[in-house]
Amino acid sequence: MSLFELFHYEFMQRALVACVLIGFTNGFIGAFVVLRRLALMADALSHSLLPGLAIAAMLVGLSTAGLLLGGLLAAFFVAIGGHLIARSSRVKDETAIASLYIIAFALGVAIIKFAHVKVSLDHFLFGNILGIANSDLWTSFAVSAIVLLSLVILHRPLLLALFEPSVAKTQGVAVDWLLGLILVLIVLTMVSSLQAVGVLLSLGLMVLPAATIYLLSDSYSKMSWCGGLLGASGAVAGLILSYWTNIPSGPAIIMVLGTVFLAAYLFSPKYGIIIRHLKVRHLHEESLSRWDEEKH
Amino acid sequence: MTPRLTITDATVSYNRVPAVHHLSVTLNSHSLVALVGPNGAGKTTLLKAIAGLVPMETGKVVVHGGNRKNAIAYVPQREAVDWDFPITVRGLAEMGRYPSLGLWRKFGAEDDRIVEESLHVTELEAFADRQIKALSGGQQQRAFLARAWAQQAEIYLLDEPFTGLDRNAQEAFSGALQKLRESGKLIIASHHDLKSVPELFDHVLLINGELVASGPTSETFTTANIEKTFAMKIFSGSEPHHHHHEPHQQ
């Protein structure tokens, strides 16, 4: 079947729009996740969404507003709870957050199994982009608009805060608020990606494009914009791969983005390991020849 | 020579142990000031207090002619910077314009001029498009001076800027600082290599928890004053012969 025919189906058209929206937004915010070294924090947040989603689904069904609120609250409790535990005991931040998110995740699985939620666990964990509804698309659209507008409007103070938080504070930048805002935007983006890739794989959609561009470019703004483009095109490519091979859409998208990331790791013209290997030898030869010159 | 910065009765504590206490001093524009004292004397703490990075328990910092936020530029220690950050030298200098541009205002011709000027003063034009890790140590320090210049700072606070620079890099960096001084700036740099103080700085500020002496290098940087600075028992309670680090470094 040609690509053109493929997108005749309405469910494929919806999936295509979802891929572009979700892929772009995740790829864009990913720059902030990578530069602020928030990948593990984002992983914790993604797991901690589950009980919130389950309780929301139990109380108000699968309404997107309910899921957004449930996810946000659950992530909020884990983040704040982890912080409180770290401050009130000798347990350090990352241990506290890891402990809480895994407890939250287990709790979420239990709630879904026993509370008569009409959704399978798999759906929350891995998503299904082909089953996306119009209401999901509107949610994605709204979340993308909020996330992208916030990040674009605030890009100057965000850059100052990411690069050197302490210096930014002296320049009057509300660093703590901005970093808190980034966490909120991360959770919003994750919940809106739920339908497509699920809580477990949403992290890949967020981190892989930015990590790839980080290996290719020295420009901070390119990291978000090109990250967005790569996220969107990777998601679309993954969707097509998924249709042709019957691999579920979430894993297919992540595998496409993962391949690109590994390729950049190997072949990036500036920061790839192959070129670095060649360069090191080059310098070595240079110093050897200089040594020779001095001897003569 | 006009007064640029007045510190009155400054006390800064960590966990109720004062690191700097009741320090008062006035420093002028057109000066290149070495901040000298033993480990744990509160050099970093004083720089951070002037920059507003740590709260002061008592006292105040007054910047003459300019508001404190834009007038002061703090250049962090090299270890405190993420050198892999995807930014070029020019991008770093452009960041200096952000505080005065705010969220919305576009980068104008005047901003471009100031950025170019900052690269010129620090002799980094040839390296403007390099990522900051692809610079030598001295160039990295100068790149941060360029950002401070672009911010149009009047007071430059530097934490051990000469550490780890080889002879050539030190000369080039010192040249850049001289240029800043000649154009009326006040530069305060913590410095631990006593030998090089006279050739690099025209003013010294000797501290050890409290102020020991402040004045032109030729008059103040005397053996008597240096001995006084390094022999004095540190007020903060720790034994002076025990090696101990600057409190609470980031």
Tab-separated table of all heavy atoms in Angstrom, chain B residues 7-53:
chain	number	residue	atom	x	y	z
B	7	ILE	N	30.698	48.954	50.964
B	7	ILE	CA	30.176	47.861	51.787
B	7	ILE	C	30.222	48.362	53.227
B	7	ILE	O	31.260	48.850	53.679
B	7	ILE	CB	31.040	46.597	51.636
B	7	ILE	CG1	31.086	46.165	50.170
B	7	ILE	CG2	30.496	45.472	52.508
B	7	ILE	CD1	32.143	45.114	49.895
B	8	THR	N	29.103	48.270	53.919
B	8	THR	CA	29.054	48.750	55.292
B	8	THR	C	28.657	47.629	56.233
B	8	THR	O	27.586	47.045	56.074
B	8	THR	CB	28.012	49.893	55.423
B	8	THR	OG1	28.067	50.690	54.244
B	8	THR	CG2	28.290	50.739	56.638
B	9	ASP	N	29.522	47.319	57.174
B	9	ASP	CA	29.212	46.409	58.269
B	9	ASP	C	28.650	45.063	57.779
B	9	ASP	O	27.660	44.567	58.310
B	9	ASP	CB	28.196	47.094	59.204
B	9	ASP	CG	28.045	46.332	60.512
B	9	ASP	OD1	29.050	45.810	61.001
B	9	ASP	OD2	26.910	46.250	61.021
B	10	ALA	N	29.274	44.479	56.751
B	10	ALA	CA	28.725	43.244	56.178
B	10	ALA	C	29.082	42.029	57.039
B	10	ALA	O	30.252	41.799	57.347
B	10	ALA	CB	29.267	43.042	54.767
B	11	THR	N	28.075	41.268	57.437
B	11	THR	CA	28.297	39.992	58.113
B	11	THR	C	27.533	38.908	57.360
B	11	THR	O	26.346	39.064	57.064
B	11	THR	CB	27.810	40.036	59.575
B	11	THR	OG1	28.521	41.057	60.267
B	11	THR	CG2	28.030	38.698	60.269
B	12	VAL	N	28.226	37.828	57.007
B	12	VAL	CA	27.593	36.706	56.319
B	12	VAL	C	27.926	35.441	57.094
B	12	VAL	O	29.084	35.202	57.429
B	12	VAL	CB	28.109	36.546	54.878
B	12	VAL	CG1	27.284	35.501	54.141
B	12	VAL	CG2	28.084	37.859	54.139
B	13	SER	N	26.911	34.627	57.415
B	13	SER	CA	27.142	33.412	58.211
B	13	SER	C	26.623	32.187	57.495
B	13	SER	O	25.677	32.264	56.717
B	13	SER	CB	26.398	33.525	59.544
B	13	SER	OG	26.792	34.672	60.224
B	14	TYR	N	27.295	31.053	57.754
B	14	TYR	CA	26.752	29.767	57.341
B	14	TYR	C	26.482	28.973	58.598
B	14	TYR	O	27.383	28.805	59.425
B	14	TYR	CB	27.751	29.022	56.462
B	14	TYR	CG	27.948	29.683	55.139
B	14	TYR	CD1	29.151	30.283	54.812
B	14	TYR	CD2	26.903	29.731	54.211
B	14	TYR	CE1	29.326	30.904	53.591
B	14	TYR	CE2	27.080	30.350	52.998
B	14	TYR	CZ	28.292	30.931	52.693
B	14	TYR	OH	28.457	31.541	51.488
B	15	ASN	N	25.284	28.506	58.761
B	15	ASN	CA	24.907	27.776	59.974
B	15	ASN	C	25.339	28.532	61.234
B	15	ASN	O	25.915	27.968	62.145
B	15	ASN	CB	25.507	26.364	59.981
B	15	ASN	CG	25.052	25.579	58.770
B	15	ASN	OD1	23.902	25.720	58.353
B	15	ASN	ND2	25.951	24.792	58.197
B	16	ARG	N	25.102	29.777	61.255
B	16	ARG	CA	25.354	30.680	62.381
B	16	ARG	C	26.832	30.869	62.696
B	16	ARG	O	27.186	31.500	63.683
B	16	ARG	CB	24.582	30.206	63.624
B	16	ARG	CG	23.081	30.148	63.344
B	16	ARG	CD	22.289	29.684	64.545
B	16	ARG	NE	22.434	30.552	65.696
B	16	ARG	CZ	22.193	30.154	66.943
B	16	ARG	NH1	21.830	28.918	67.183
B	16	ARG	NH2	22.309	30.997	67.942
B	17	VAL	N	27.725	30.309	61.859
B	17	VAL	CA	29.145	30.604	62.032
B	17	VAL	C	29.502	31.700	61.039
B	17	VAL	O	29.372	31.498	59.836
B	17	VAL	CB	30.023	29.361	61.764
B	17	VAL	CG1	31.487	29.725	61.895
B	17	VAL	CG2	29.643	28.239	62.696
B	18	PRO	N	29.906	32.864	61.530
B	18	PRO	CA	30.184	33.952	60.584
B	18	PRO	C	31.412	33.658	59.730
B	18	PRO	O	32.450	33.232	60.240
B	18	PRO	CB	30.400	35.175	61.476
B	18	PRO	CG	30.633	34.648	62.835
B	18	PRO	CD	30.060	33.276	62.924
B	19	ALA	N	31.275	33.830	58.415
B	19	ALA	CA	32.408	33.641	57.511
B	19	ALA	C	33.053	34.992	57.216
B	19	ALA	O	34.251	35.092	57.005
B	19	ALA	CB	31.936	32.989	56.218
B	20	VAL	N	32.228	36.006	57.189
B	20	VAL	CA	32.702	37.378	57.005
B	20	VAL	C	31.959	38.193	58.038
B	20	VAL	O	30.747	38.040	58.171
B	20	VAL	CB	32.332	37.908	55.599
B	20	VAL	CG1	32.637	39.397	55.514
B	20	VAL	CG2	33.078	37.146	54.518
B	21	HIS	N	32.691	38.996	58.810
B	21	HIS	CA	31.906	39.758	59.788
B	21	HIS	C	32.332	41.197	59.920
B	21	HIS	O	33.515	41.542	59.901
B	21	HIS	CB	31.879	39.059	61.147
B	21	HIS	CG	33.200	38.584	61.607
B	21	HIS	ND1	33.959	39.279	62.474
B	21	HIS	CD2	33.903	37.473	61.255
B	21	HIS	CE1	35.077	38.615	62.669
B	21	HIS	NE2	35.077	37.523	61.938
B	22	HIS	N	31.315	42.045	60.005
B	22	HIS	CA	31.461	43.488	60.222
B	22	HIS	C	32.537	44.083	59.325
B	22	HIS	O	33.448	44.737	59.778
B	22	HIS	CB	31.744	43.771	61.703
B	22	HIS	CG	30.663	43.221	62.587
B	22	HIS	ND1	29.365	43.677	62.505
B	22	HIS	CD2	30.660	42.240	63.516
B	22	HIS	CE1	28.613	43.016	63.366
B	22	HIS	NE2	29.376	42.124	63.985
B	23	LEU	N	32.419	43.789	58.046
B	23	LEU	CA	33.409	44.279	57.089
B	23	LEU	C	32.884	45.537	56.405
B	23	LEU	O	31.783	45.536	55.859
B	23	LEU	CB	33.706	43.171	56.066
B	23	LEU	CG	34.859	43.425	55.087
B	23	LEU	CD1	35.576	42.128	54.797
B	23	LEU	CD2	34.371	44.052	53.802
B	24	SER	N	33.653	46.600	56.483
B	24	SER	CA	33.286	47.847	55.804
B	24	SER	C	34.435	48.296	54.921
B	24	SER	O	35.576	48.330	55.377
B	24	SER	CB	32.971	48.951	56.825
B	24	SER	OG	31.895	48.557	57.634
B	25	VAL	N	34.134	48.645	53.678
B	25	VAL	CA	35.182	49.106	52.779
B	25	VAL	C	34.543	49.869	51.622
B	25	VAL	O	33.386	49.607	51.259
B	25	VAL	CB	36.031	47.918	52.261
B	25	VAL	CG1	35.258	47.069	51.279
B	25	VAL	CG2	37.339	48.401	51.646
B	26	THR	N	35.263	50.837	51.086
B	26	THR	CA	34.804	51.532	49.879
B	26	THR	C	35.839	51.333	48.782
B	26	THR	O	37.036	51.470	49.027
B	26	THR	CB	34.601	53.036	50.147
B	26	THR	OG1	33.534	53.185	51.074
B	26	THR	CG2	34.234	53.768	48.865
B	27	LEU	N	35.365	50.963	47.590
B	27	LEU	CA	36.275	50.737	46.469
B	27	LEU	C	35.898	51.663	45.323
B	27	LEU	O	34.720	51.969	45.119
B	27	LEU	CB	36.204	49.268	46.025
B	27	LEU	CG	36.654	48.263	47.100
B	27	LEU	CD1	36.238	46.847	46.729
B	27	LEU	CD2	38.161	48.347	47.320
B	28	ASN	N	36.926	52.112	44.590
B	28	ASN	CA	36.712	53.116	43.545
B	28	ASN	C	36.609	52.495	42.159
B	28	ASN	O	37.086	51.380	41.920
B	28	ASN	CB	37.872	54.102	43.540
B	28	ASN	CG	37.934	54.887	44.824
B	28	ASN	OD1	36.899	55.185	45.437
B	28	ASN	ND2	39.142	55.217	45.246
B	29	SER	N	36.031	53.267	41.259
B	29	SER	CA	36.097	52.869	39.847
B	29	SER	C	37.553	52.998	39.384
B	29	SER	O	38.382	53.557	40.088
B	29	SER	CB	35.181	53.757	39.007
B	29	SER	OG	35.493	55.105	39.219
B	30	HIS	N	37.838	52.501	38.183
B	30	HIS	CA	39.224	52.494	37.683
B	30	HIS	C	40.152	51.702	38.601
B	30	HIS	O	41.294	52.113	38.799
B	30	HIS	CB	39.800	53.916	37.565
B	30	HIS	CG	39.247	54.689	36.411
B	30	HIS	ND1	38.218	55.580	36.546
B	30	HIS	CD2	39.579	54.680	35.098
B	30	HIS	CE1	37.939	56.099	35.364
B	30	HIS	NE2	38.736	55.565	34.471
B	31	SER	N	39.674	50.614	39.220
B	31	SER	CA	40.585	49.833	40.065
B	31	SER	C	40.516	48.361	39.735
B	31	SER	O	39.473	47.840	39.350
B	31	SER	CB	40.280	49.968	41.561
B	31	SER	OG	39.705	51.177	41.867
B	32	LEU	N	41.662	47.748	39.916
B	32	LEU	CA	41.795	46.307	39.723
B	32	LEU	C	42.233	45.756	41.080
B	32	LEU	O	43.380	45.917	41.491
B	32	LEU	CB	42.843	46.071	38.635
B	32	LEU	CG	43.123	44.694	38.081
B	32	LEU	CD1	41.842	43.910	37.881
B	32	LEU	CD2	43.855	44.835	36.761
B	33	VAL	N	41.284	45.154	41.790
B	33	VAL	CA	41.478	44.839	43.200
B	33	VAL	C	41.733	43.349	43.409
B	33	VAL	O	40.951	42.520	42.930
B	33	VAL	CB	40.214	45.237	44.015
B	33	VAL	CG1	40.417	44.935	45.493
B	33	VAL	CG2	39.866	46.691	43.792
B	34	ALA	N	42.830	43.037	44.115
B	34	ALA	CA	43.074	41.644	44.491
B	34	ALA	C	42.446	41.402	45.852
B	34	ALA	O	42.700	42.154	46.790
B	34	ALA	CB	44.562	41.371	44.563
B	35	LEU	N	41.633	40.372	45.950
B	35	LEU	CA	41.035	40.001	47.227
B	35	LEU	C	41.877	38.848	47.765
B	35	LEU	O	41.874	37.752	47.206
B	35	LEU	CB	39.582	39.577	47.003
B	35	LEU	CG	38.780	39.087	48.194
B	35	LEU	CD1	38.730	40.135	49.286
B	35	LEU	CD2	37.368	38.736	47.747
B	36	VAL	N	42.634	39.117	48.825
B	36	VAL	CA	43.645	38.167	49.286
B	36	VAL	C	43.383	37.770	50.727
B	36	VAL	O	43.010	38.604	51.556
B	36	VAL	CB	45.060	38.791	49.158
B	36	VAL	CG1	46.111	37.875	49.765
B	36	VAL	CG2	45.385	39.079	47.693
B	37	GLY	N	43.577	36.480	51.013
B	37	GLY	CA	43.441	35.985	52.375
B	37	GLY	C	43.626	34.486	52.379
B	37	GLY	O	43.579	33.854	51.317
B	38	PRO	N	43.870	33.885	53.555
B	38	PRO	CA	44.089	32.436	53.599
B	38	PRO	C	42.802	31.666	53.265
B	38	PRO	O	41.730	32.263	53.190
B	38	PRO	CB	44.503	32.182	55.044
B	38	PRO	CG	43.959	33.338	55.814
B	38	PRO	CD	43.952	34.503	54.884
B	39	ASN	N	42.939	30.350	53.080
B	39	ASN	CA	41.761	29.507	52.877
B	39	ASN	C	40.782	29.709	54.017
B	39	ASN	O	41.179	29.744	55.171
B	39	ASN	CB	42.150	28.030	52.855
B	39	ASN	CG	42.688	27.618	51.507
B	39	ASN	OD1	42.456	28.302	50.518
B	39	ASN	ND2	43.421	26.512	51.489
B	40	GLY	N	39.517	29.826	53.689
B	40	GLY	CA	38.528	29.976	54.749
B	40	GLY	C	38.411	31.396	55.258
B	40	GLY	O	37.707	31.661	56.227
B	41	ALA	N	39.093	32.341	54.577
B	41	ALA	CA	39.047	33.732	55.027
B	41	ALA	C	37.739	34.410	54.626
B	41	ALA	O	37.443	35.501	55.075
B	41	ALA	CB	40.225	34.505	54.459
B	42	GLY	N	36.969	33.749	53.742
B	42	GLY	CA	35.684	34.319	53.330
B	42	GLY	C	35.744	35.087	52.022
B	42	GLY	O	34.888	35.922	51.750
B	43	LYS	N	36.737	34.763	51.171
B	43	LYS	CA	36.861	35.494	49.906
B	43	LYS	C	35.664	35.220	48.990
B	43	LYS	O	35.002	36.152	48.510
B	43	LYS	CB	38.160	35.086	49.183
B	43	LYS	CG	39.422	35.617	49.857
B	43	LYS	CD	40.671	34.989	49.254
B	43	LYS	CE	40.755	33.533	49.608
B	43	LYS	NZ	41.914	32.811	49.213
B	44	THR	N	35.408	33.912	48.765
B	44	THR	CA	34.273	33.559	47.914
B	44	THR	C	32.974	34.077	48.516
B	44	THR	O	32.108	34.600	47.811
B	44	THR	CB	34.206	32.026	47.745
B	44	THR	OG1	35.399	31.592	47.114
B	44	THR	CG2	33.022	31.621	46.893
B	45	THR	N	32.868	33.952	49.835
B	45	THR	CA	31.654	34.402	50.513
B	45	THR	C	31.436	35.898	50.291
B	45	THR	O	30.321	36.338	50.003
B	45	THR	CB	31.764	34.119	52.027
B	45	THR	OG1	32.050	32.738	52.205
B	45	THR	CG2	30.479	34.470	52.739
B	46	LEU	N	32.524	36.666	50.423
B	46	LEU	CA	32.387	38.118	50.245
B	46	LEU	C	31.964	38.447	48.811
B	46	LEU	O	31.057	39.262	48.597
B	46	LEU	CB	33.713	38.812	50.588
B	46	LEU	CG	33.697	40.336	50.437
B	46	LEU	CD1	32.670	40.968	51.364
B	46	LEU	CD2	35.081	40.927	50.715
B	47	LEU	N	32.590	37.777	47.830
B	47	LEU	CA	32.216	38.031	46.429
B	47	LEU	C	30.746	37.707	46.204
B	47	LEU	O	30.010	38.459	45.564
B	47	LEU	CB	33.083	37.188	45.483
B	47	LEU	CG	34.550	37.583	45.360
B	47	LEU	CD1	35.290	36.585	44.475
B	47	LEU	CD2	34.682	38.990	44.784
B	48	LYS	N	30.318	36.565	46.772
B	48	LYS	CA	28.922	36.162	46.577
B	48	LYS	C	27.965	37.119	47.281
B	48	LYS	O	26.866	37.382	46.794
B	48	LYS	CB	28.708	34.731	47.079
B	48	LYS	CG	29.287	33.690	46.138
B	48	LYS	CD	28.932	32.286	46.552
B	48	LYS	CE	29.355	31.303	45.474
B	48	LYS	NZ	29.229	29.905	45.931
B	49	ALA	N	28.393	37.621	48.433
B	49	ALA	CA	27.532	38.566	49.147
B	49	ALA	C	27.383	39.861	48.354
B	49	ALA	O	26.292	40.419	48.252
B	49	ALA	CB	28.101	38.848	50.534
B	50	ILE	N	28.488	40.325	47.758
B	50	ILE	CA	28.407	41.543	46.948
B	50	ILE	C	27.471	41.313	45.757
B	50	ILE	O	26.659	42.156	45.403
B	50	ILE	CB	29.806	41.969	46.436
B	50	ILE	CG1	30.725	42.312	47.617
B	50	ILE	CG2	29.689	43.174	45.515
B	50	ILE	CD1	32.181	42.519	47.225
B	51	ALA	N	27.574	40.107	45.165
B	51	ALA	CA	26.740	39.792	44.002
B	51	ALA	C	25.285	39.555	44.391
B	51	ALA	O	24.413	39.507	43.531
B	51	ALA	CB	27.288	38.563	43.285
B	52	GLY	N	25.037	39.377	45.687
B	52	GLY	CA	23.673	39.082	46.112
B	52	GLY	C	23.342	37.604	46.021
B	52	GLY	O	22.177	37.210	46.016
B	53	LEU	N	24.371	36.751	45.932
B	53	LEU	CA	24.136	35.303	45.819
B	53	LEU	C	23.904	34.661	47.175
B	53	LEU	O	23.334	33.579	47.259
B	53	LEU	CB	25.336	34.628	45.144
B	53	LEU	CG	25.441	34.782	43.638
B	53	LEU	CD1	26.802	34.336	43.155
B	53	LEU	CD2	24.364	33.969	42.957
